[in-house]
Amino acid sequence: MSSLFRSLFGWNAILLVTLASTSAVIGSDQIPGAPQRKPILLRGGTIHTVSGDVLVGADLLFEEGKIKQVGKDIAVPEKADVVDVTGKHVYPGMIDSLSSIGLVEVESIRASVDTTEVGNVNPNVRALVAVNPDSEAIPVARANGVLAAVTVPSGGLVSGRAAMIMLDGWTWEDMTLQPDIGMIVNWPRFGAVRMGRGASAEADTGDTSDRLTPLHNLIRESKAYGQLMDADAVESIDLRLEAMQPVIRGEMPMLVVANTVKQIQTAVAFCNQYQLKMVLIGGADAHLCAPLLKESNIPVVIASVYRLPTRRDAPYDAIYALPAQLEAAGVRYCIGTDGRFGASMVRNLPYHAATAVAFGLSEAQALRAVTLSAAEIFGVEASVGSLDAGKDATLFVADGNILEIPTQVTHAWIQGRKVDLTSKHTQLYDKYKVRYERSPKP
Amino acid sequence: MKLPRFLGLLFSASLSIAFVGWTQAQQTTSTLPESGISEHPNELFAIVGATITVEPGRQLEQATLLIRDGKVAAVGRDIAIPPEARVIELRGKHIYPGIVDAGIEAELPATTTPAGIAHWSREITPERSVANEMTSAITEPIFAKLRKAGITTAMVAPRDGIIKGQSAVFSTADLPTQEALLKSNSSLHVRLTVSRGRGRDSYPSSPMGAVALARQTFLDAQWYATAQQAYRTQAGLPKPDDNAALSALSQMVASGQPVVFDSLNEQYSLRADSFGREFGLQVVLKGSGQEYQLLDAIAKLNRTIIVPVNFPKPPAVQSYEQAIDVELEELTHWELAPENPARLRKAGVKILLTSSGLNDPSEFLPNVRKAVGRGLSKEDALAAMTTEPAKFLGIDSSCGSLRPGQWANLIVANADLFDDKCKVEEVWNRGQRPESAEKNNRSMDGTWKFAWTGGEHPATDLHLEIKDSLQKGIATLRVPEPKVDASDAETKVEEESDPKDAPKQSDGTGKEKAAAEKKKESNLKSLKLESNTLTGVVACGSLDDSYKGNGYLSATLLNSEEPEDARLIGSIVWPNGAMGTFVATRNAEADSSSGSDSKTDKEVAKDKKEASTSSVASKVLSPTLYPPGALGRASIPDQHEYVLFKNTTLWTCGPDGLLKNVDLLVHRGKIDAIGPGLEVPENAHVVDASKWQISPGLIDCHSHMATDSGINEATQAVTAEVRIGDFVDAGDITIYRQLAGGLTVANVLHGSANPIGGQNQVIKLRWGAAYEDLKFKQAPAGVKFALGENVKQSNWELSTRTRYPQSRMGVEQLFRERFNAGRQYIELWNQWRDNPQGLPPRRDLELDAIAEILEGKRWIHCHSYRQDEILGLLRVLEEYGITIGSLQHILEGYKVADEMAKHGATASSFSDWWNYKFEVFDAIPHNGALMHRRGIVVSFNSDDNELGRHMNHEAAKAVKYGGVDPMEALKFVTLNPAIQLRIDEHVGSIEVGKDADLAIWTGSPLSPMARCEQTWIDGRKYFDRLQDAEDRKRDANLHRSLIQKVIESGEPGSQRSSLADDPSRLWPHHDEFCHDHHDEDHDHDHAHDHDHE
């Protein structure tokens, strides 16, 4: 169960056993990459720029952590390292748009989970400061080309601020690509629950207006607090309302977790009313609200493609086909890996995108949904998301199409730092290979 | 008072002949001591002038019914009325026998069976008897409602439990229990499930646990009888325990007493029948109202069914989102449920109608009418609620008709019982007229023409139309219009009865609207009709332009004996405070002429509803599909004699490896030939597969779909007796969704909550087939074992952690303990077979299963993670000579691959899951490859309703992590799981002679960018993406039409789905007992059903 999943449905009491004495040994053995000292030229590869064409037999040069040049026959600078990538593919680092990486180690061990603060309204808390750089999940994810990720707090109505992190670094400060990229708000559910054990009673009618009252109040309180701040009249700081200021000024997007039509419609209207910047997270019914989303220029983070339809009668491929539907409708979107086991499954990001290809996206569109589109939606396109001169050298080399599962990532750099592609998994694999090399097959 | 039997016969033969010549002196019928002054009222009644239905098919007009001492003394047209009789004129009324309801339930008081000899489970109480334990304090609140609804006789069964106890038949009259009791120990009642949320402290906590316990109990009853017999007749034997439940049960089974099974949905009917046949029981089904969904199969059972008329309300569809949130099944069920009784009758099923399942029994007759409107004959309907249940209950000599000698239980109605206008006005019970029958109110129904008598009033007369005045009432005050031209009216009627149910943005609307604007009328708000007075609020402006605002109308009804003499005398206080007074008379002319223009919206809707119910047969939109609802099928897909897939790429997963440009021939569901350019047999169904690649149908060795068993019987540490196979849920949409991902076979396992769980069921994903037909018949038996965190309850609340074992040490010991018990059990039976002397051994279903494991007839599929526990289990099994069927999950299998290989273990793993709990911290995605390289048969499984939709992606991960050859990797989800399930003789590869179970892909089956286009099972095309698109269109059209029908019906909508209580929707279809110990109660967004294992 991902942390986001938990927040969607407000389980405040997740019953877990505390294994306090056993959690001491968690921490990855991989050493963060050293800052780039020499120019690096990737020579002769298939370069997926994402922003433009796929260049076959082309080169890419990066220096001091930035991409210098992309194209054919780039001259080798002095002292440069040249990496022959003939027959290989070069991609911008993939970005997981929705994860809890760094905040969760072992899902069932409470002591290793830092996603949720008590209380309903926590705009002041920041995911960034709880990211564990030594999480075992980080090397595992980046080994498959996922080099950046949005990591989000969860639970309550306003969960706190999400962060965009790079998946390498000694400290969370090193890892920060963009701090506090948005405010997670779990939109209230509307209407009666028709089915299942939690089905509403016969007479229960879903009251719609009341559920948004706390949010209306929060915005009003925040604006009033803003007036205090503007007048330099704050006597005692209110951390919550202070944290809301960039949101009400429309600078920090509200990351609205919503899936149903009614939730989406009311959220769009709400954000419109208060002129807030909104990103829709989840979005199972987004295709049903496409004109509204397009008109309002609100992008969608498709929480996950490996996801069941939300209604029993929906087409079996309802979510598989959602990216293609949004593409066709002209709604901006990107794809995340929310779902079971959250942080541990980030590495499967490209297969979420590939599944969308089976159901209507082109490969280029799918790749964009896990790179440049994600960067644009979260406002980090100046540094990541495509292979263009001037951007960070956050990229990887693979021995085939990254959307195909057997493809192996052979090299990766984050801001020019070469990252270790081993992980706890490869270490254990190597260890036990030795056991079997020592004895004949039974 | 008993009549001599010969007289009863005489009566029945001389039905309509007056008979008053014989009376009997009042006899004492009670042993109760009299207290105080006894009552002796005149209990001779003569009801005259009514139309009397004596029994189904026998109706007497203008007849007389003579009632003496609570019983029918005579009935007929020319009956002499004794002078002392209390003559009750019920001219124009219709009289019917009181209803006999064989489906009532009541909660028994806390147990009375002495704990000393009660069954250990409080769910097993066959010895309990409603007759012995019921008091009128319990029954009267129930009976009061039943009486009002016309139900005069009721079989009352215990409500709770699994083997619940025995029912009794009562008169619903307000009498002391001993007088009301008609028959004790009527039948035994069984419910093959438990209610969800009972907690995990007491066994059973799951439906499959309930069945297992019931099965064990019936076996125990057989053993009990023989063991007791042996003990009584042979000296020196050990004494078998005394047990009230088993004693009672063995006697009931021996006596052939009927056993009523609660069939909570259509699938439970089949389950109950199988169960009943297992023990030779006289099975009666207490239906769910969903029987039509599996009509043929249920009709074939040839069982009497107690059928509810719990027809659902339509869903609330006030917004688009509300509409799309409504499942098609809910709509089709709303539409078709009223046909259930008729369809059952037409299929030859003997039905008894019951009010059970209704919120209030007063809904019973209206719903029976609905059923009659939907094809049930009136005679069948009446029989099914009078004579048939009386016969079934063995009380037909005293109840069920109005023949002389019967209890005078009767319904007095204002019209034919099956007329929509019919209202039950009084219900007599044992000759007692209800006090409320003496009406204080008279009907004000009709159109009343005002004659102004004074004060301020408009120049025109007003008309007041009142409907339904004895109930809630509708009143409309209007300025009468000039008469509508008859031809216009006719045209309008035609438009409205347009047989197409398409939504009407009608061209006529504009015209109608204009007409409505012209109309000057006001519906009275806050209408109150009581004690023959009427008050209400009038929107006066809509009557007369000179008024703005509301006025008050009040009126009193006079002279109501004869409708034509009746007067309403009253006043209107206008908004300006002035008052006008009037006398109103019923206006026959207005009644006949104002018909169409005097209707309120509600009435229009109601009329439409009536119109649609009266011409229903042609208007039912829902086809009968199975499973009911979206993507249901009229039948399973055809099996062609020959199917030829031309010119394709085959991933055979067999010795032939990858074949390109070949043909694949299927004959009668089996693979017949493979090769290039095969000859096309005559009449072959040819599939051009040149753009596609074909793999064997995928197989998932670890699934929890397609069962409403509850997945976990999580109470006891050992539950080998429970069977997933008792609860195949053919309607689980997951079947279809995974079929669409190329999956054809799944191993549906019990969950991981206990070291020895329940028995698994291998199924083929035959979407559209029912129940048994999904089972993979040739698959050998299996059972779930589990190790580690789940079974030692590591992630449960601390308060529950008292069950043995709580450590891996204890888990290992528990297996020894049970295997020892199993060995002893085998030995005991062997001795008995050799020499059946002494106490017969007790058959124990749990030990049966353990014995089968020890004898190699039942394969263990064991949930396992850590290398220590894996090794521990294998060593125990080896000591007992058992080879394991498969190790499930087995995420540290890579650490002990050689030990596993030596044992002969196979491994069914996750491809790349890790870190969701502590025991999988060391899981690595190379696990599969490493074990494969050490010679272990490896599969990847899903354990998840979503993952099961793309098992091919999982297979590809064996290539990625550890470099397994692509064809070998594909075998991880085809041939290898088949081997693990011991069904590889039939499925798992594309080889001549095997089942034609195929998945057809747009590209390599190992690519996530390839899509499954078709899935074939047994040579039948169970999934086809093109057909899927067609079916979606079909379903969407039907959904829209039905939503329109709901809106037009005007019925108030419900926020709660009528399917919400269907047991197949209540139980999880996943293992709750892994790391995610949450409750999905408030999660109706099933996209997030992420629990697993």
Side-chain angles (χ1 to χ4, degrees):
Chain A
M1 175 189 62
S2 80
S3 54
L4 181 69
F5 176 33
R6 200 175 315 155
S7 76
L8 284 172
F9 303 102
W11 299 324
N12 293 320
I14 308 255
L15 301 160
L16 302 161
V17 71
T18 305
L19 292 175
S21 61
T22 59
S23 58
V25 292
I26 295 172
S28 77
D29 297 332
Q30 284 65 44
I31 296 169
Q36 186 179 7
R37 296 189 205 288
K38 289 196 280 183
I40 297 174
L41 181 71
L42 306 181
R43 176 172 276 170
T46 300
I47 298 182
H48 298 259
T49 62
V50 180
S51 56
D53 294 339
V54 175
L55 308 173
V56 180
D59 306 340
L60 186 146
L61 174 68
F62 56 100
E63 198 175 338
E64 291 177 339
K66 297 281 183 189
I67 298 171
K68 285 283 173 221
Q69 217 181 331
V70 184
K72 300 225 172 185
D73 304 320
I74 296 173
V76 185
E78 218 177 315
K79 291 184 188 166
D81 283 343
V82 176
V83 181
D84 181 9
V85 293
T86 309
K88 290 185 173 174
H89 294 252
V90 183
Y91 295 95
M94 290 184 285
I95 303 167
D96 186 347
S97 297
L98 195 59
S99 81
S100 55
I101 198 162
L103 302 179
V104 179
E105 197 61 42
V106 180
E107 287 266 350
S108 71
I109 299 178
R110 188 176 176 275
S112 75
V113 176
D114 279 290
T115 53
T116 307
E117 199 38 80
V118 297
N120 212 28
V121 178
N122 291 298
N124 48 317
V125 305
R126 311 169 69 199
L128 193 59
V129 301
V131 169
N132 172 18
D134 273 336
S135 169
E136 297 286 2
I138 290 171
V140 165
R142 73 182 175 216
N144 204 31
V146 184
L147 303 184
V150 176
T151 191
V152 301
S154 58
L157 182 64
V158 179
S159 312
R161 287 172 273 177
M164 175 74 85
I165 58 169
M166 296 175 281
L167 297 187
D168 189 57
W170 292 102
T171 67
W172 59 258
E173 286 179 321
D174 286 354
M175 294 167 72
T176 303
L177 183 60
Q178 182 83 28
D180 303 344
I181 52 160
M183 186 68 73
I184 291 281
V185 176
N186 299 294
W187 210 251
R189 275 200 163 276
F190 288 82
V193 179
R194 295 191 60 76
M195 196 72 90
R197 258 179 97 199
S200 310
E202 186 80 35
D204 191 12
T205 53
D207 175 31
T208 56
S209 57
D210 283 351
R211 304 194 184 197
L212 295 184
T213 304
L215 282 172
H216 283 291
N217 285 342
L218 179 62
I219 300 296
R220 277 193 289 269
E221 294 293 318
S222 301
K223 289 196 166 184
Y225 190 79
Q227 289 172 315
L228 273 188
M229 291 174 78
D230 291 345
D232 205 12
V234 175
E235 288 183 11
S236 304
I237 290 171
D238 184 315
L239 287 175
R240 288 190 175 83
L241 296 179
E242 189 179 52
M244 284 299 292
Q245 295 308 309
V247 176
I248 59 167
R249 287 197 300 266
E251 294 160 11
M252 181 190 291
M254 200 137 108
L255 307 180
V256 175
V257 181
N259 281 294
T260 71
V261 173
K262 187 78 174 225
Q263 281 182 312
I264 295 169
Q265 289 170 339
T266 52
V268 172
F270 184 94
C271 291
N272 180 274
Q273 180 185 345
Y274 293 108
Q275 297 183 311
L276 312 178
K277 201 169 159 190
M278 171 176 160
V279 174
L280 175 61
I281 311 274
D285 281 351
H287 59 298
L288 298 173
C289 308
L292 178 67
L293 293 168
K294 191 183 176 199
E295 177 62 29
S296 315
N297 194 25
I298 291 171
V300 182
V301 176
I302 296 170
S304 156
V305 176
Y306 283 144
R307 194 173 163 191
L308 289 170
T310 54
R311 298 177 178 86
R312 188 240 181 231
D313 286 4
Y316 77 91
D317 59 0
I319 307 292
Y320 297 164
L322 181 58
Q325 286 172 317
L326 295 184
E327 180 76 40
V331 175
R332 295 192 295 141
Y333 65 93
C334 58
I335 293 172
T337 62
D338 182 53
R340 55 188 321 171
F341 315 150
S344 71
M345 302 304 263
V346 169
R347 64 177 161 202
N348 287 332
L349 178 64
Y351 316 134
H352 287 258
T355 300
V357 173
F359 291 85
L361 279 192
S362 72
E363 290 187 39
Q365 289 162 346
L367 186 60
R368 196 182 203 284
V370 293
T371 55
L372 187 54
S373 294
E376 288 167 352
I377 287 169
F378 289 103
V380 292
E381 73 275 18
S383 51
V384 293
S386 62
L387 298 179
D388 291 304
K391 289 199 180 186
D392 292 354
T394 298
L395 51 90
F396 67 92
V397 177
D399 65 358
N401 183 348
I402 194 61
L403 298 177
E404 295 286 7
I405 293 170
T407 298
Q408 305 287 340
V409 172
T410 57
H411 308 72
W413 292 267
I414 290 177
Q415 292 181 332
R417 303 188 298 271
K418 190 164 195 304
V419 298
D420 189 341
L421 293 177
T422 67
S423 68
K424 181 170 197 284
H425 295 176
T426 58
Q427 289 171 331
L428 278 167
Y429 180 46
D430 291 341
K431 174 176 172 183
Y432 278 88
K433 273 197 288 193
V434 172
R435 183 178 186 218
Y436 300 117
E437 281 159 13
R438 287 178 186 168
S439 59
K441 193 167 158 181
Chain B
M1 270 184 311
K2 280 182 185 159
L3 289 172
R5 177 165 289 179
F6 73 92
L7 281 174
L9 288 170
L10 188 63
F11 285 141
S12 60
S14 58
L15 187 59
S16 62
I17 298 167
F19 188 89
V20 285
W22 178 86
T23 57
Q24 189 180 2
Q26 194 85 19
Q27 277 194 351
T28 300
T29 55
S30 171
T31 55
L32 289 180
E34 288 283 357
S35 62
I37 312 299
S38 56
E39 296 178 36
H40 300 281
N42 180 355
E43 290 194 333
L44 177 62
F45 293 89
I47 296 175
V48 298
T51 301
I52 298 176
T53 301
V54 177
E55 58 193 343
R58 195 168 291 241
Q59 199 173 67
L60 307 171
E61 308 238 350
Q62 291 287 325
T64 298
L65 181 68
L66 208 59
I67 299 169
R68 187 189 294 277
D69 295 331
K71 295 212 164 176
V72 176
V75 62
R77 290 177 61 97
D78 308 304
I79 290 178
I81 297 170
E84 73 276 24
R86 296 159 63 175
V87 176
I88 295 174
E89 284 222 36
L90 291 174
R91 226 166 276 285
K93 304 297 181 191
H94 292 248
I95 294 181
Y96 294 87
I99 295 163
V100 181
D101 189 330
I104 303 300
E105 289 185 348
E107 191 181 0
L108 289 179
T111 182
T112 56
T113 310
I117 57 166
H119 193 274
W120 60 266
S121 167
R122 56 174 193 248
E123 303 287 331
I124 304 296
T125 54
E127 77 284 5
R128 298 193 71 178
S129 152
V130 166
N132 291 347
E133 302 189 27
M134 213 42 102
T135 64
S136 53
I138 301 172
T139 54
E140 179 51 22
I142 302 170
F143 287 177
K145 285 185 183 169
L146 295 178
R147 280 200 299 276
K148 242 179 129 181
I151 297 163
T152 54
T153 309
M155 178 173 85
V156 182
R159 194 189 64 186
D160 302 314
I162 294 169
I163 299 180
K164 306 197 283 188
Q166 299 166 75
S167 52
V169 185
F170 295 92
S171 160
T172 62
D174 187 6
L175 294 169
T177 305
Q178 61 267 40
E179 276 186 59
L181 182 67
L182 288 163
K183 189 181 180 192
S184 52
N185 301 352
S186 174
S187 35
L188 176 66
H189 294 260
V190 177
R191 184 185 184 100
L192 291 177
T193 186
V194 289
S195 38
R196 205 182 157 198
R198 290 172 67 259
R200 295 162 193 141
D201 52 336
S202 78
Y203 176 94
S205 70
S206 68
M208 61 186 163
V211 173
L213 179 57
R215 186 178 277 124
Q216 181 66 59
T217 305
F218 276 96
L219 289 171
D220 282 348
Q222 291 168 358
W223 167 81
Y224 186 83
T226 50
Q228 290 287 352
Q229 173 70 13
Y231 176 69
R232 277 195 299 274
T233 52
Q234 297 170 52
L237 293 184
K239 174 187 169 299
D241 288 352
D242 271 295
N243 188 301
L246 298 179
S247 169
L249 191 59
S250 65
Q251 285 165 33
M252 282 176 242
V253 172
S255 73
Q257 191 179 23
V259 184
V260 178
F261 285 84
D262 296 351
S263 309
L264 303 181
N265 64 18
E266 77 287 351
Q267 301 190 113
Y268 273 81
S269 303
L270 305 184
R271 288 168 190 154
D273 181 75
S274 315
F275 189 94
R277 273 187 282 118
E278 206 173 321
F279 296 100
L281 306 178
Q282 296 297 313
V283 172
V284 175
L285 301 171
K286 184 167 180 226
S288 61
Q290 289 163 249
E291 287 70 29
Y292 70 91
Q293 292 171 349
L294 272 178
L295 186 62
D296 294 344
I298 290 173
K300 258 187 235 152
L301 307 179
N302 202 21
R303 306 286 192 189
T304 297
I305 306 183
I306 302 169
V307 180
V309 289
N310 53 344
F311 311 140
K313 276 194 208 162
V317 287
Q318 290 141 358
S319 71
Y320 174 65
E321 189 174 18
Q322 274 190 338
I324 60 171
D325 278 346
V326 173
E327 290 181 19
L328 184 57
E329 182 184 348
E330 194 182 340
L331 292 166
T332 58
H333 183 54
W334 166 73
E335 195 187 36
L336 292 178
E339 268 175 37
N340 188 49
R343 292 193 186 190
L344 282 168
R345 278 305 295 142
K346 274 173 199 142
V349 178
K350 181 180 278 188
I351 62 169
L352 314 175
L353 294 174
T354 177
S355 65
S356 172
L358 297 171
N359 287 330
D360 191 291
S362 65
E363 299 165 18
F364 178 63
L365 277 172
N367 279 1
V368 171
R369 257 170 238 137
K370 239 184 234 179
V372 168
R374 301 292 291 277
L376 184 66
S377 79
K378 292 179 181 182
E379 204 166 307
D380 277 354
L382 188 60
M385 50 190 184
T386 57
T387 48
E388 289 296 334
K391 260 183 245 165
F392 167 73
L393 298 173
I395 53 166
D396 50 324
S397 63
S398 65
C399 296
S401 79
L402 293 176
R403 285 175 294 167
Q406 295 260 317
W407 286 111
N409 299 330
L410 46 105
I411 294 172
V412 179
N414 63 340
D416 184 291
L417 199 59
F418 298 105
D419 191 308
D420 278 337
K421 289 194 285 276
C422 174
K423 296 231 152 49
V424 172
E425 296 186 342
E426 20 189 306
V427 179
W428 294 49
N429 223 318
R430 296 199 173 178
Q432 296 293 319
R433 193 177 196 200
E435 286 171 18
S436 62
E438 307 292 342
K439 284 213 178 62
N440 299 318
N441 280 356
R442 301 285 175 175
S443 169
M444 292 188 202
D445 292 6
T447 300
W448 301 82
K449 187 180 175 183
F450 280 30
W452 294 108
T453 54
E456 183 177 324
H457 58 83
T460 47
D461 287 339
L462 293 180
H463 286 184
L464 176 63
E465 188 184 49
I466 303 176
K467 288 192 159 185
D468 212 16
S469 59
L470 293 175
Q471 306 294 322
K472 224 176 162 186
I474 301 168
T476 310
L477 194 61
R478 76 166 56 84
V479 178
E481 285 177 82
K483 280 184 191 172
V484 182
D485 183 55
S487 65
D488 269 12
E490 227 171 76
T491 328
K492 198 164 147 195
V493 166
E494 255 171 34
E495 276 172 17
E496 289 195 353
S497 61
D498 185 345
K500 275 174 265 164
D501 258 308
K504 229 165 294 162
Q505 313 288 37
S506 90
D507 29 341
T509 319
K511 225 161 66 188
E512 282 165 30
K513 208 173 202 171
E517 278 165 10
K518 272 191 294 180
K519 262 183 215 166
K520 292 186 166 180
E521 62 177 28
S522 163
N523 285 340
L524 266 61
K525 290 178 197 148
S526 309
L527 181 69
K528 202 158 193 184
L529 293 154
E530 56 185 352
S531 304
N532 296 325
T533 63
L534 172 156
T535 58
V537 176
V538 183
C540 300
S542 58
L543 295 173
D544 188 322
D545 297 341
S546 61
Y547 289 119
K548 273 187 180 159
N550 294 308
Y552 294 102
L553 184 148
S554 71
T556 305
L557 179 66
L558 298 178
N559 304 340
S560 58
E561 296 297 335
E562 293 297 328
E564 54 274 26
D565 295 341
R567 295 285 181 274
L568 272 181
I569 298 176
S571 63
I572 296 178
V573 179
W574 302 106
N576 61 12
M579 183 189 288
T581 57
F582 63 84
V583 174
T585 51
R586 276 204 178 90
N587 185 344
E589 193 183 271
D591 268 348
S592 60
S593 69
S594 66
S596 69
D597 60 25
S598 69
K599 288 179 179 168
T600 65
D601 293 351
K602 217 168 171 184
E603 287 165 333
V604 170
K606 200 174 154 203
D607 283 356
K608 280 187 182 168
K609 182 179 123 200
E610 277 161 8
S612 66
T613 45
S614 57
S615 56
V616 222
S618 60
K619 288 213 161 187
V620 169
L621 305 173
S622 308
T624 307
L625 302 173
Y626 199 80
L631 299 166
R633 295 205 155 126
S635 63
I636 63 165
D638 294 334
Q639 188 184 66
H640 297 281
E641 176 80 9
Y642 286 100
V643 184
L644 184 66
F645 297 90
K646 291 286 289 178
N647 197 20
T648 192
T649 299
L650 289 184
W651 295 66
T652 64
C653 293
D656 292 342
L658 187 73
L659 299 173
K660 291 188 175 176
N661 304 316
V662 291
D663 298 346
L664 169 65
L665 182 67
V666 172
H667 178 45
R668 291 186 184 159
K670 301 273 180 198
I671 293 165
D672 199 51
I674 300 166
L678 291 182
E679 203 173 307
V680 184
E682 213 176 318
N683 298 328
H685 176 79
V686 179
V687 179
D688 174 8
S690 54
K691 287 182 186 150
W692 293 335
Q693 303 191 25
I694 301 182
S695 76
L698 308 186
I699 299 175
D700 185 355
C701 200
H702 192 127
S703 175
H704 299 296
M705 69 164 159
T707 178
D708 50 345
S709 61
I711 308 296
N712 274 292
E713 176 53 59
T715 51
Q716 299 177 345
V718 180
T719 60
E721 69 281 10
V722 310
R723 302 174 189 175
I724 294 286
D726 284 339
F727 284 87
V728 174
D729 179 9
D732 182 2
I733 191 66
T734 310
I735 300 169
Y736 184 85
R737 290 173 176 168
Q738 298 197 354
L739 196 56
L743 197 78
T744 54
V745 173
N747 180 28
V748 185
L749 283 164
H750 184 278
S752 52
N754 27 24
I756 301 184
Q759 302 170 22
N760 58 305
Q761 179 64 54
V762 181
I763 62 166
K764 281 201 177 188
L765 275 62
R766 298 184 181 108
W767 178 254
Y771 188 50
E772 288 285 337
D773 295 340
L774 270 77
K775 293 183 178 173
F776 197 129
K777 301 283 185 205
Q778 300 97 330
V783 66
K784 178 75 173 283
F785 274 37
L787 311 172
E789 288 182 17
N790 294 6
V791 307
K792 66 196 189 83
Q793 304 177 315
S794 303
N795 302 317
W796 297 27
E797 303 98 304
L798 291 173
S799 62
T800 63
R801 296 177 58 186
T802 52
R803 186 182 81 183
Y804 193 97
Q806 291 291 319
S807 70
R808 287 183 170 85
M809 303 181 292
V811 174
E812 191 244 19
Q813 289 298 307
L814 189 73
F815 292 137
R816 291 176 192 279
E817 147 70 27
R818 283 293 89 187
F819 289 147
N820 289 342
R823 279 185 169 172
Q824 207 173 355
Y825 183 74
I826 293 168
E827 183 56 32
L828 196 64
W829 276 100
N830 284 343
Q831 282 172 11
W832 174 258
R833 280 189 204 97
D834 293 346
N835 180 20
Q837 295 294 312
L839 207 60
R842 168 179 178 260
R843 190 158 162 226
D844 182 314
L845 293 172
E846 176 191 309
L847 291 175
D848 273 357
I850 308 259
E852 286 166 6
I853 295 167
L854 290 163
E855 288 164 345
K857 297 176 194 157
R858 181 172 292 281
W859 294 98
I860 297 168
H861 301 288
C862 187
H863 162 117
S864 52
Y865 287 114
R866 257 178 32 189
Q867 61 146 306
D868 44 279
E869 64 189 19
I870 295 164
L871 212 47
L873 174 74
L874 294 181
R875 296 300 176 245
V876 172
L877 294 182
E878 283 158 10
E879 278 181 47
Y880 289 86
I882 301 165
T883 302
I884 195 163
S886 70
L887 285 156
Q888 296 285 322
H889 308 333
I890 188 79
L891 290 180
E892 286 192 12
Y894 71 94
K895 296 185 180 177
V896 284
D898 285 358
E899 287 80 358
M900 287 166 58
K902 271 179 211 143
H903 174 95
T906 67
S908 180
S909 180
F910 296 128
S911 67
D912 61 354
W913 295 11
W914 68 294
N915 225 12
Y916 43 94
K917 54 178 166 175
F918 190 66
E919 65 188 346
V920 298
F921 190 53
D922 269 6
I924 64 172
H926 314 79
N927 183 42
L930 263 177
M931 292 190 293
H932 171 73
R933 289 213 290 269
R934 300 308 280 182
I936 294 169
V937 174
V938 178
S939 70
F940 283 161
N941 64 53
S942 84
D943 191 5
D944 178 82
N945 290 343
E946 207 296 311
L947 194 58
R949 309 200 294 155
H950 44 85
M951 297 299 292
N952 54 322
H953 301 191
E954 299 306 287
K957 287 173 187 164
V959 183
K960 183 181 187 78
Y961 301 107
V964 175
D965 165 74
M967 184 67 74
E968 287 301 313
L970 186 59
K971 287 182 190 172
F972 280 27
V973 294
T974 56
L975 184 62
N976 292 0
I979 293 169
Q980 293 170 345
L981 295 171
R982 277 75 184 173
I983 51 175
D984 50 310
E985 194 186 321
H986 309 284
V987 294
S989 59
I990 301 177
E991 291 180 67
V992 171
K994 284 199 179 185
D995 296 355
D997 290 8
L998 307 165
I1000 301 184
W1001 309 90
T1002 56
S1004 161
L1006 292 180
S1007 172
M1009 290 185 282
R1011 189 177 62 223
C1012 177
E1013 286 293 299
Q1014 299 180 354
T1015 309
W1016 294 65
I1017 298 174
D1018 310 326
R1020 299 172 194 268
K1021 190 167 63 180
Y1022 273 90
F1023 172 76
D1024 180 343
R1025 205 167 139 82
L1026 294 177
Q1027 185 62 46
D1028 177 73
E1030 290 299 310
D1031 290 348
R1032 286 185 205 176
K1033 269 186 229 156
R1034 176 200 71 181
D1035 293 343
N1037 287 335
L1038 183 57
H1039 193 272
R1040 272 195 297 275
S1041 307
L1042 286 168
I1043 291 283
Q1044 287 306 316
K1045 198 169 170 180
V1046 168
I1047 293 167
E1048 285 172 18
S1049 78
E1051 294 177 47
S1054 170
Q1055 299 283 342
R1056 180 185 166 85
S1057 171
S1058 59
L1059 311 172
D1061 297 321
D1062 186 310
S1064 68
R1065 305 292 187 116
L1066 280 178
W1067 293 89
H1069 287 53
H1070 55 256
D1071 183 356
E1072 294 176 294
F1073 289 85
C1074 189
H1075 76 291
D1076 282 338
H1077 186 46
H1078 75 255
D1079 198 313
E1080 80 291 3
D1081 277 6
H1082 300 292
D1083 175 12
H1084 76 140
D1085 183 347
H1086 291 289
H1088 292 282
D1089 265 357
H1090 283 316
D1091 317 61
H1092 57 96
E1093 280 173 70

